[in-house]
Amino acid sequence: MDKILKIGHRGASGYEPENTLISFEKAIDLNADGIELDVHLTSDGHLVVIHDETIDRTTNGKGQVHTMTLQELKSFNAGKNQEIPTLIEVFDLVNRRCLINIELKGIGTAKPVNDLINHYILDKKWEINDFLISSFDWDMLQEMALLNPKIRLGVLTEESIEDALSFAKKIKAFSIHPDYQLLSKENVDLMHENDFGVFPWTVNSKESIQKVKSFDVNGIISNFPDKI
């Protein structure tokens, strides 16, 4: 068994405000092998790292991400005086120190994410395997597969491992990212038999981490990467 990758969910969001630069830095400080983050587009076409469609829950502001400019979004406090970061700022912070798992959340994010990744590979000598793209929106994964057949894709599901498995085969995905509560030794073995990596989320308690580890998963996405 290869080592289980430790992936910080929205950074080390058990310790620092989620999807902020200090959260991603904290995950790297805790020796995470990767960070997971979410992207939306601003009204003026910038990729920003935030989970929800609105800024209401994670900042001191209110409103929908896609209706605001980058400058407007940058004026809000995302916790501990952090700004909502751009995806470029996160790439530059990480600087190849760990894997970046980008979850496509906002509509229309597939192409700009692919363009940015290509820029970092061509101009900054990053590798394609520095990135892993995941989404619950399987249409966006399909779009990404067509845009960039070389990029590693992860199929997110909170409902059905069987459906995720059949879709993963269809798009030649790299991995399946299930809600950890869907997992059993049998279905993890089945995903492995079909050559898919298994990266469950969001596994936070010591008990659930131990249970998921016993299934021989490939990585664990957690708010507390140091607990893995």
PDB file of all heavy atoms in Angstrom, residues 19 21 24 48 56 58 68 71 109 121 124 129 139-140 148 163 172 180 188 190 206 227:
ATOM      1  N   ASN A  19     -10.405  28.422   2.826  1.00  0.00           N
ATOM      2  CA  ASN A  19     -10.120  28.987   1.496  1.00  0.00           C
ATOM      3  C   ASN A  19      -9.435  30.350   1.561  1.00  0.00           C
ATOM      4  O   ASN A  19      -9.662  31.217   0.708  1.00  0.00           O
ATOM      5  CB  ASN A  19     -11.411  29.081   0.662  1.00  0.00           C
ATOM      6  CG  ASN A  19     -11.807  27.748   0.029  1.00  0.00           C
ATOM      7  OD1 ASN A  19     -10.953  26.926  -0.309  1.00  0.00           O
ATOM      8  ND2 ASN A  19     -13.095  27.533  -0.137  1.00  0.00           N
ATOM      9  N   LEU A  21      -5.474  32.333   2.178  1.00  0.00           N
ATOM     10  CA  LEU A  21      -4.042  32.051   2.013  1.00  0.00           C
ATOM     11  C   LEU A  21      -3.434  31.510   3.304  1.00  0.00           C
ATOM     12  O   LEU A  21      -2.573  30.624   3.260  1.00  0.00           O
ATOM     13  CB  LEU A  21      -3.297  33.303   1.534  1.00  0.00           C
ATOM     14  CG  LEU A  21      -3.654  33.804   0.124  1.00  0.00           C
ATOM     15  CD1 LEU A  21      -2.841  35.049  -0.220  1.00  0.00           C
ATOM     16  CD2 LEU A  21      -3.450  32.729  -0.938  1.00  0.00           C
ATOM     17  N   PHE A  24      -4.254  27.806   3.545  1.00  0.00           N
ATOM     18  CA  PHE A  24      -3.441  26.960   2.660  1.00  0.00           C
ATOM     19  C   PHE A  24      -2.002  26.851   3.175  1.00  0.00           C
ATOM     20  O   PHE A  24      -1.406  25.771   3.147  1.00  0.00           O
ATOM     21  CB  PHE A  24      -3.472  27.509   1.224  1.00  0.00           C
ATOM     22  CG  PHE A  24      -4.858  27.542   0.637  1.00  0.00           C
ATOM     23  CD1 PHE A  24      -5.364  28.689   0.058  1.00  0.00           C
ATOM     24  CD2 PHE A  24      -5.671  26.416   0.691  1.00  0.00           C
ATOM     25  CE1 PHE A  24      -6.650  28.726  -0.461  1.00  0.00           C
ATOM     26  CE2 PHE A  24      -6.967  26.433   0.178  1.00  0.00           C
ATOM     27  CZ  PHE A  24      -7.457  27.594  -0.402  1.00  0.00           C
ATOM     28  N   VAL A  48     -11.865  33.231  -8.403  1.00  0.00           N
ATOM     29  CA  VAL A  48     -11.645  33.438  -6.976  1.00  0.00           C
ATOM     30  C   VAL A  48     -11.927  32.142  -6.217  1.00  0.00           C
ATOM     31  O   VAL A  48     -12.696  31.296  -6.654  1.00  0.00           O
ATOM     32  CB  VAL A  48     -12.522  34.574  -6.400  1.00  0.00           C
ATOM     33  CG1 VAL A  48     -11.969  35.930  -6.800  1.00  0.00           C
ATOM     34  CG2 VAL A  48     -13.979  34.434  -6.799  1.00  0.00           C
ATOM     35  N   ASP A  56     -21.948  35.430   1.976  1.00  0.00           N
ATOM     36  CA  ASP A  56     -22.623  35.668   3.260  1.00  0.00           C
ATOM     37  C   ASP A  56     -22.022  34.865   4.419  1.00  0.00           C
ATOM     38  O   ASP A  56     -21.840  35.389   5.518  1.00  0.00           O
ATOM     39  CB  ASP A  56     -24.123  35.330   3.158  1.00  0.00           C
ATOM     40  CG  ASP A  56     -24.841  36.112   2.054  1.00  0.00           C
ATOM     41  OD1 ASP A  56     -24.155  36.658   1.160  1.00  0.00           O
ATOM     42  OD2 ASP A  56     -26.078  36.174   2.078  1.00  0.00           O
ATOM     43  N   THR A  58     -19.005  33.201   4.709  1.00  0.00           N
ATOM     44  CA  THR A  58     -17.557  33.182   4.983  1.00  0.00           C
ATOM     45  C   THR A  58     -16.907  34.559   5.068  1.00  0.00           C
ATOM     46  O   THR A  58     -15.717  34.645   5.321  1.00  0.00           O
ATOM     47  CB  THR A  58     -16.813  32.349   3.914  1.00  0.00           C
ATOM     48  OG1 THR A  58     -17.111  32.895   2.617  1.00  0.00           O
ATOM     49  CG2 THR A  58     -17.231  30.890   3.947  1.00  0.00           C
ATOM     50  N   MET A  68     -20.280  40.319  -8.495  1.00  0.00           N
ATOM     51  CA  MET A  68     -19.325  41.313  -7.992  1.00  0.00           C
ATOM     52  C   MET A  68     -17.998  41.255  -8.744  1.00  0.00           C
ATOM     53  O   MET A  68     -17.580  40.191  -9.198  1.00  0.00           O
ATOM     54  CB  MET A  68     -19.071  41.089  -6.503  1.00  0.00           C
ATOM     55  CG  MET A  68     -20.260  41.483  -5.650  1.00  0.00           C
ATOM     56  SD  MET A  68     -19.847  41.456  -3.892  1.00  0.00           S
ATOM     57  CE  MET A  68     -20.872  40.108  -3.375  1.00  0.00           C
ATOM     58  N   GLN A  71     -12.415  43.548  -7.422  1.00  0.00           N
ATOM     59  CA  GLN A  71     -12.119  44.643  -6.493  1.00  0.00           C
ATOM     60  C   GLN A  71     -13.161  44.707  -5.375  1.00  0.00           C
ATOM     61  O   GLN A  71     -12.822  44.898  -4.199  1.00  0.00           O
ATOM     62  CB  GLN A  71     -12.068  45.975  -7.250  1.00  0.00           C
ATOM     63  CG  GLN A  71     -11.550  47.116  -6.379  1.00  0.00           C
ATOM     64  CD  GLN A  71     -11.399  48.421  -7.151  1.00  0.00           C
ATOM     65  OE1 GLN A  71     -11.726  48.502  -8.330  1.00  0.00           O
ATOM     66  NE2 GLN A  71     -10.901  49.439  -6.484  1.00  0.00           N
ATOM     67  N   THR A 109     -16.376  27.775 -15.035  1.00  0.00           N
ATOM     68  CA  THR A 109     -15.009  27.808 -14.495  1.00  0.00           C
ATOM     69  C   THR A 109     -14.047  26.846 -15.209  1.00  0.00           C
ATOM     70  O   THR A 109     -12.836  27.004 -15.092  1.00  0.00           O
ATOM     71  CB  THR A 109     -15.000  27.500 -12.986  1.00  0.00           C
ATOM     72  OG1 THR A 109     -15.850  26.385 -12.719  1.00  0.00           O
ATOM     73  CG2 THR A 109     -15.490  28.686 -12.173  1.00  0.00           C
ATOM     74  N   ILE A 121       2.038  25.621 -16.582  1.00  0.00           N
ATOM     75  CA  ILE A 121       2.855  24.526 -17.118  1.00  0.00           C
ATOM     76  C   ILE A 121       3.826  25.054 -18.182  1.00  0.00           C
ATOM     77  O   ILE A 121       5.017  24.730 -18.158  1.00  0.00           O
ATOM     78  CB  ILE A 121       1.938  23.419 -17.684  1.00  0.00           C
ATOM     79  CG1 ILE A 121       1.224  22.694 -16.537  1.00  0.00           C
ATOM     80  CG2 ILE A 121       2.742  22.421 -18.523  1.00  0.00           C
ATOM     81  CD1 ILE A 121       0.126  21.755 -16.981  1.00  0.00           C
ATOM     82  N   LYS A 124       5.801  28.557 -16.369  1.00  0.00           N
ATOM     83  CA  LYS A 124       6.432  28.459 -15.049  1.00  0.00           C
ATOM     84  C   LYS A 124       6.949  27.047 -14.754  1.00  0.00           C
ATOM     85  O   LYS A 124       7.369  26.755 -13.640  1.00  0.00           O
ATOM     86  CB  LYS A 124       5.449  28.914 -13.963  1.00  0.00           C
ATOM     87  CG  LYS A 124       5.041  30.379 -14.139  1.00  0.00           C
ATOM     88  CD  LYS A 124       4.064  30.821 -13.068  1.00  0.00           C
ATOM     89  CE  LYS A 124       3.516  32.211 -13.320  1.00  0.00           C
ATOM     90  NZ  LYS A 124       4.446  33.275 -12.909  1.00  0.00           N
ATOM     91  N   ASN A 129       0.681  16.979 -13.269  1.00  0.00           N
ATOM     92  CA  ASN A 129       0.259  16.247 -12.072  1.00  0.00           C
ATOM     93  C   ASN A 129       0.378  17.065 -10.783  1.00  0.00           C
ATOM     94  O   ASN A 129       0.182  16.537  -9.689  1.00  0.00           O
ATOM     95  CB  ASN A 129       1.018  14.928 -11.952  1.00  0.00           C
ATOM     96  CG  ASN A 129       0.541  13.915 -12.970  1.00  0.00           C
ATOM     97  OD1 ASN A 129      -0.460  14.134 -13.658  1.00  0.00           O
ATOM     98  ND2 ASN A 129       1.248  12.815 -13.084  1.00  0.00           N
ATOM     99  N   ASP A 139     -21.085  17.689 -15.773  1.00  0.00           N
ATOM    100  CA  ASP A 139     -20.979  18.328 -17.092  1.00  0.00           C
ATOM    101  C   ASP A 139     -19.675  19.125 -17.195  1.00  0.00           C
ATOM    102  O   ASP A 139     -19.031  19.158 -18.246  1.00  0.00           O
ATOM    103  CB  ASP A 139     -22.165  19.270 -17.343  1.00  0.00           C
ATOM    104  CG  ASP A 139     -23.465  18.497 -17.561  1.00  0.00           C
ATOM    105  OD1 ASP A 139     -23.398  17.291 -17.881  1.00  0.00           O
ATOM    106  OD2 ASP A 139     -24.546  19.102 -17.414  1.00  0.00           O
ATOM    107  N   MET A 140     -19.304  19.766 -16.078  1.00  0.00           N
ATOM    108  CA  MET A 140     -18.049  20.541 -16.088  1.00  0.00           C
ATOM    109  C   MET A 140     -16.846  19.616 -16.188  1.00  0.00           C
ATOM    110  O   MET A 140     -15.842  19.956 -16.818  1.00  0.00           O
ATOM    111  CB  MET A 140     -17.960  21.444 -14.854  1.00  0.00           C
ATOM    112  CG  MET A 140     -18.870  22.643 -14.953  1.00  0.00           C
ATOM    113  SD  MET A 140     -18.243  24.069 -14.037  1.00  0.00           S
ATOM    114  CE  MET A 140     -19.113  23.892 -12.504  1.00  0.00           C
ATOM    115  N   ASN A 148      -8.862  19.239 -22.019  1.00  0.00           N
ATOM    116  CA  ASN A 148      -7.502  18.818 -21.646  1.00  0.00           C
ATOM    117  C   ASN A 148      -7.501  17.338 -21.236  1.00  0.00           C
ATOM    118  O   ASN A 148      -7.613  17.010 -20.063  1.00  0.00           O
ATOM    119  CB  ASN A 148      -7.004  19.687 -20.494  1.00  0.00           C
ATOM    120  CG  ASN A 148      -5.526  19.509 -20.233  1.00  0.00           C
ATOM    121  OD1 ASN A 148      -4.922  18.533 -20.678  1.00  0.00           O
ATOM    122  ND2 ASN A 148      -4.935  20.438 -19.507  1.00  0.00           N
ATOM    123  N   ASP A 163     -22.941   5.188  -9.612  1.00  0.00           N
ATOM    124  CA  ASP A 163     -23.090   6.187 -10.681  1.00  0.00           C
ATOM    125  C   ASP A 163     -21.764   6.905 -10.942  1.00  0.00           C
ATOM    126  O   ASP A 163     -21.399   7.163 -12.095  1.00  0.00           O
ATOM    127  CB  ASP A 163     -24.156   7.226 -10.305  1.00  0.00           C
ATOM    128  CG  ASP A 163     -25.560   6.639 -10.287  1.00  0.00           C
ATOM    129  OD1 ASP A 163     -25.727   5.479 -10.720  1.00  0.00           O
ATOM    130  OD2 ASP A 163     -26.491   7.335  -9.828  1.00  0.00           O
ATOM    131  N   LYS A 172     -12.803   8.748 -18.385  1.00  0.00           N
ATOM    132  CA  LYS A 172     -11.427   8.318 -18.097  1.00  0.00           C
ATOM    133  C   LYS A 172     -10.827   9.142 -16.948  1.00  0.00           C
ATOM    134  O   LYS A 172      -9.720   9.688 -17.054  1.00  0.00           O
ATOM    135  CB  LYS A 172     -10.536   8.406 -19.338  1.00  0.00           C
ATOM    136  CG  LYS A 172     -11.010   7.512 -20.480  1.00  0.00           C
ATOM    137  CD  LYS A 172     -10.051   7.578 -21.657  1.00  0.00           C
ATOM    138  CE  LYS A 172     -10.348   6.530 -22.717  1.00  0.00           C
ATOM    139  NZ  LYS A 172     -11.671   6.691 -23.348  1.00  0.00           N
ATOM    140  N   TYR A 180     -17.312  10.261   2.618  1.00  0.00           N
ATOM    141  CA  TYR A 180     -16.688   9.094   3.261  1.00  0.00           C
ATOM    142  C   TYR A 180     -17.722   8.133   3.851  1.00  0.00           C
ATOM    143  O   TYR A 180     -17.465   6.940   3.999  1.00  0.00           O
ATOM    144  CB  TYR A 180     -15.673   9.529   4.330  1.00  0.00           C
ATOM    145  CG  TYR A 180     -16.253   9.943   5.658  1.00  0.00           C
ATOM    146  CD1 TYR A 180     -16.390   9.011   6.693  1.00  0.00           C
ATOM    147  CD2 TYR A 180     -16.662  11.254   5.902  1.00  0.00           C
ATOM    148  CE1 TYR A 180     -16.913   9.386   7.922  1.00  0.00           C
ATOM    149  CE2 TYR A 180     -17.176  11.629   7.125  1.00  0.00           C
ATOM    150  CZ  TYR A 180     -17.315  10.698   8.130  1.00  0.00           C
ATOM    151  OH  TYR A 180     -17.835  11.058   9.339  1.00  0.00           O
ATOM    152  N   VAL A 188     -14.613   0.299  -2.100  1.00  0.00           N
ATOM    153  CA  VAL A 188     -13.254   0.827  -2.329  1.00  0.00           C
ATOM    154  C   VAL A 188     -12.466  -0.162  -3.188  1.00  0.00           C
ATOM    155  O   VAL A 188     -11.789   0.225  -4.152  1.00  0.00           O
ATOM    156  CB  VAL A 188     -12.525   1.114  -0.998  1.00  0.00           C
ATOM    157  CG1 VAL A 188     -11.059   1.476  -1.259  1.00  0.00           C
ATOM    158  CG2 VAL A 188     -13.219   2.254  -0.241  1.00  0.00           C
ATOM    159  N   LEU A 190     -13.692  -2.208  -5.307  1.00  0.00           N
ATOM    160  CA  LEU A 190     -14.270  -2.142  -6.660  1.00  0.00           C
ATOM    161  C   LEU A 190     -13.698  -0.960  -7.446  1.00  0.00           C
ATOM    162  O   LEU A 190     -13.321  -1.095  -8.618  1.00  0.00           O
ATOM    163  CB  LEU A 190     -15.797  -2.029  -6.570  1.00  0.00           C
ATOM    164  CG  LEU A 190     -16.562  -1.969  -7.893  1.00  0.00           C
ATOM    165  CD1 LEU A 190     -16.383  -3.269  -8.681  1.00  0.00           C
ATOM    166  CD2 LEU A 190     -18.045  -1.687  -7.656  1.00  0.00           C
ATOM    167  N   LYS A 206     -11.006  11.317  14.691  1.00  0.00           N
ATOM    168  CA  LYS A 206      -9.996  10.251  14.756  1.00  0.00           C
ATOM    169  C   LYS A 206     -10.603   8.910  14.352  1.00  0.00           C
ATOM    170  O   LYS A 206      -9.992   8.120  13.631  1.00  0.00           O
ATOM    171  CB  LYS A 206      -9.447  10.164  16.183  1.00  0.00           C
ATOM    172  CG  LYS A 206      -8.454  11.286  16.516  1.00  0.00           C
ATOM    173  CD  LYS A 206      -7.094  10.714  16.891  1.00  0.00           C
ATOM    174  CE  LYS A 206      -5.965  11.712  16.777  1.00  0.00           C
ATOM    175  NZ  LYS A 206      -6.138  12.903  17.617  1.00  0.00           N
ATOM    176  N   LYS A 227      -4.169  15.283  11.422  1.00  0.00           N
ATOM    177  CA  LYS A 227      -4.735  14.109  12.115  1.00  0.00           C
ATOM    178  C   LYS A 227      -4.606  12.836  11.296  1.00  0.00           C
ATOM    179  O   LYS A 227      -4.761  11.742  11.800  1.00  0.00           O
ATOM    180  CB  LYS A 227      -6.213  14.352  12.436  1.00  0.00           C
ATOM    181  CG  LYS A 227      -6.468  15.318  13.566  1.00  0.00           C
ATOM    182  CD  LYS A 227      -7.947  15.306  13.903  1.00  0.00           C
ATOM    183  CE  LYS A 227      -8.282  16.358  14.957  1.00  0.00           C
ATOM    184  NZ  LYS A 227      -9.751  16.424  15.177  1.00  0.00           N
TER     185      LYS A 227
END
